[in-house]
Amino acid sequence: MSLAEIPRIVAAVRARNDVAGITGVLLFTGQDFAQMIEGPPQAVADLWASIRGDPRHHDIVVFHDERASERWFNDSRVGFPSDAGVIAQVEAWRRSRGAHDSAKGGELRNVLAAIDAL
């Protein structure tokens, strides 16, 4: 995918997610995407079905799935990290193929929340 496509994708995703009540953060490292999705359960399920059904998406790994009592994000954010440690962490999560315990969910949220601050 061309980097020039990213702003177009982000605009379309934000518009669709706003209508569905989806919030969260999307991180792009230049190679990998990591995303935290928050919202009404049916809206999140519908979004996952759309993501999984889209041929542009491959090697999808769910790192953590939980029902939270409150949202971490009030809107949708996009991050492009320059920190090599964050990029390496996202790569490590991808390589793990989701093989970790639920305690890693907090680590994932914290990394994505930190990206949101960039």
Side-chain angles (χ1 to χ4, degrees):
M1 169 179 30
S2 163
L3 288 179
E5 290 181 64
I6 300 294
R8 182 188 56 77
I9 292 168
V10 168
V13 167
R14 280 188 176 150
R16 183 184 66 218
N17 287 352
D18 285 349
V19 169
I22 298 286
T23 59
V25 63
L26 175 66
L27 162 71
F28 180 56
T29 68
Q31 178 177 340
D32 296 304
F33 285 91
Q35 185 171 25
M36 178 184 282
I37 301 169
E38 305 174 308
Q42 189 59 54
V44 171
D46 292 346
L47 178 55
W48 265 115
S50 174
I51 290 169
R52 287 190 170 119
D54 187 326
R56 296 173 296 179
H57 299 110
H58 55 89
D59 295 329
I60 298 171
V61 178
V62 176
F63 297 114
H64 187 70
D65 186 5
E66 74 176 50
R67 289 193 184 235
S69 59
E70 60 186 75
R71 293 180 189 229
W72 277 59
F73 303 95
N74 293 325
D75 55 13
S76 295
R77 308 288 174 92
V78 178
F80 301 94
S82 58
D83 182 307
V86 170
I87 294 169
Q89 182 61 60
V90 172
E91 283 183 23
W93 287 331
R94 177 179 36 83
R95 285 191 312 272
S96 76
R97 306 292 305 156
H100 54 70
D101 61 42
S102 62
K104 292 287 186 178
E107 178 184 325
L108 174 65
R109 283 192 307 262
N110 289 334
V111 168
L112 292 177
I115 292 303
D116 182 52
L118 293 177

